[in-house]
Amino acid sequence: MHVPNIPSLTDADPQVADLVHAEAQRQFEKIRLIASENYVSTAVLEATGSVLTNKYSEGYAGRRYYEGQQVIDQVEQLAVARAKELFGVEHANVQPYSGSPANLAAYLAFLEPGEKVMGMALPMGGHLTHGWSVSATGKWFESVRYTVGKDTGRVDMDEVRDLALAERPKMIFCGGTAIPRTIDFPAFAAIAEEIGAVLVADIAHIAGLVAGGAHPSPVGHAPVITTTTHKTLRGPRGAMIMTDSAHAKAIDKAVFPGLQGGPHNHTTAAIAVALGEALRPSFSEYAHAVVANARALAEALVERGFDLVSGGTDNHLILIDLTSKDIAGKPAAQALDRAGIELNYNTVPYDTRKPFDPSGIRLGTAAVTTRGLGVEQMPLLAEWIDRAVVGEDVEKIALEVSELMSAYPMPGFAVS
Ligand code: DSN
């Protein structure tokens, strides 16, 4: 059953209560390898489900448009202070509703419509909001995109520099959603400085690794840093923008009143809780364990003949090109789901297939590491993936997966 228990919901709306319990059970039984997901602590869950959701508080602490902010101001100030301490930044805005609005705030703060942005192309591992054509950011701004090497699967910083010098974008994004390798923040910063562009580091995927010292930090290199709070950082669904002092005012104005109304105060409180957790030494151990697990899983997959984009991983994420296995990403992901292994199909760089039916799958180790799985379990995961990806023994594997996971407690769930 779900923890905290939900007796009032069960009385008032058993249909929804049953669905909540069912999802908790599903998360307990599966090996969750979606690279952008995690399990939050029970404390984060409690903050998210609190009466703070009842309150409107447009504005910022001490400068609100509604009365009754005696408590909310303290909640937001606590979240901000913890973000500043954890990441070592001068300023933090904890109000963005999620990653896409956080990135939009950067556009609103530093670009006029039609001006030029540079980001990693979506099929190469970038994000929709880094200027991809179907996103508002690609429709309302001119965008240029850097790629990864066809043979290396890695960003070539000389090519990024050449493109930047030729195109002279006003803003540059680094980071993305399917990047298995370390992001070279100093190199991006040098390029941005050379052309006078604002560098925005989108660390949504790796924020927890940065906080835990398992990935280099963009602080001191990128004056603007956007992140979601729910991936490796292990907080609630939300986002933050961290800046140096020079860029703070523009970002705050862009978030509110530029893009948003009232912040989601229950989320802000849960972000504060998650940041408090990330400030503890055990979080650094967690972040390093996430990377160690990803490396071990990558090695075990390579041994089984899987073709990994860039050959491996430096972080929590693995991108597999299944072309050599003669199966597409979507049927593979569906077969894996039936086997109790949850991940997503994904385009790979230079994919010849369509985004809704691409050649790859994407995996991450943030959630399984939270459950307590270690490097010793990764060869078994690779073996199950190898068999299930082609639809072999899926029902049998699902039972074995559920048996394995039953030994690892899940925050948010208790066996009833
Ligand atoms: N949907 C997120 C991910 O899965 O990486 C990015 O927005």
Side-chain angles (χ1 to χ4, degrees):
M1 68 177 190
H2 188 268
V3 176
N5 201 1
I6 46 172
S8 307
L9 182 59
T10 304
D11 279 349
D13 196 331
Q15 254 182 308
V16 172
D18 284 351
L19 291 171
V20 172
H21 286 307
E23 175 61 13
Q25 179 84 37
R26 194 195 67 79
Q27 292 185 12
F28 179 65
E29 286 172 0
K30 283 209 170 174
I31 291 180
R32 297 177 58 232
L33 292 176
I34 292 181
S36 46
E37 294 184 354
N38 211 327
Y39 295 93
V40 299
S41 68
T42 313
V44 168
L45 285 176
E46 285 178 0
T48 311
S50 66
V51 296
L52 300 181
T53 196
N54 295 340
K55 189 73 192 120
Y56 253 119
S57 56
E58 265 113 324
Y60 292 100
R63 295 175 284 129
R64 306 278 190 187
Y65 289 81
Y66 292 76
E67 293 310 314
Q69 307 299 339
Q70 295 84 353
V71 178
I72 296 300
D73 274 4
Q74 294 182 61
V75 170
E76 190 168 319
Q77 281 165 330
L78 195 57
V80 167
R82 288 180 181 175
K84 285 165 72 173
E85 184 183 347
L86 181 64
F87 288 94
V89 288
E90 289 170 349
H91 179 77
N93 185 313
V94 296
Q95 294 194 3
Y97 299 143
S98 204
S100 296
N103 285 342
L104 275 179
Y107 286 84
L108 187 59
F110 307 116
L111 259 57
E112 293 297 325
E115 287 190 320
K116 205 179 277 181
V117 64
M118 183 167 93
M120 191 181 205
L122 182 68
M124 301 286 157
H127 190 255
L128 279 165
T129 56
H130 297 180
W132 194 241
S133 50
V134 295
S135 147
T137 63
K139 290 181 191 293
W140 297 342
F141 299 88
E142 196 184 335
S143 71
V144 288
R145 295 127 194 183
Y146 54 90
T147 60
V148 295
K150 210 166 186 171
D151 299 330
T152 61
R154 294 171 187 247
V155 177
D156 179 335
M157 293 310 300
D158 290 332
E159 279 178 22
V160 175
R161 180 171 176 268
D162 289 346
L163 187 64
L165 289 177
E167 297 285 349
R168 307 198 80 81
K170 217 175 152 191
M171 189 163 79
I172 300 176
F173 273 96
C174 57
T177 59
I179 305 173
R181 294 296 180 178
T182 301
I183 300 165
D184 190 344
F185 296 121
F188 274 104
I191 293 166
E193 192 181 356
E194 202 173 344
I195 60 165
V198 178
L199 178 63
V200 182
D202 179 344
I203 61 164
H205 265 265
I206 54 168
L209 308 185
V210 171
H215 187 291
S217 170
V219 177
H221 304 293
V224 181
I225 300 164
T226 61
T227 185
T228 51
T229 45
H230 48 268
K231 299 184 173 91
T232 51
L233 192 54
R234 217 163 56 177
R237 306 293 293 235
M240 308 192 294
I241 308 176
M242 298 175 281
T243 70
D244 60 15
S245 303
H247 295 79
K249 204 168 164 195
I251 282 292
D252 282 354
K253 250 177 85 181
V255 173
F256 175 84
L259 280 175
Q260 298 187 174
H264 294 174
N265 298 310
H266 53 303
T267 301
T268 308
I271 290 174
V273 174
L275 293 171
E277 291 171 355
L279 278 161
R280 294 183 198 133
S282 57
F283 191 83
S284 174
E285 286 165 27
Y286 163 70
H288 285 90
V290 168
V291 175
N293 277 345
R295 286 209 176 124
L297 182 56
E299 277 166 25
L301 289 165
V302 168
E303 272 172 27
R304 290 182 167 275
F306 281 95
D307 179 9
L308 272 47
V309 172
S310 83
T313 181
D314 296 329
N315 53 33
H316 65 301
L317 187 147
I318 298 166
L319 189 58
I320 305 179
D321 184 347
L322 289 170
T323 309
S324 64
K325 293 268 177 185
D326 214 16
I327 182 163
K330 193 171 189 171
Q334 288 167 342
L336 285 161
D337 194 52
R338 288 200 301 281
I341 299 169
E342 184 190 1
L343 43 70
N344 67 284
Y345 55 88
N346 216 94
T347 49
V348 294
Y350 305 98
D351 210 325
T352 51
R353 303 177 65 92
K354 298 242 178 310
F356 205 56
D357 184 22
S359 301
I361 49 176
R362 187 187 68 158
L363 297 68
T365 51
V368 289
T369 308
T370 296
R371 287 293 291 276
L373 268 62
V375 289
E376 58 282 9
Q377 275 88 32
M378 295 303 125
L380 178 60
L381 264 59
E383 186 206 315
W384 281 334
I385 291 169
D386 196 14
R387 281 159 58 203
V389 84
V390 288
E392 191 186 310
D393 294 334
V394 286
E395 281 81 20
K396 186 166 175 276
I397 294 171
L399 287 175
E400 289 168 4
V401 163
S402 143
E403 198 184 316
L404 174 79
M405 296 316 287
S406 68
Y408 293 90
M410 168 185 148
F413 179 82
V415 179
S416 50

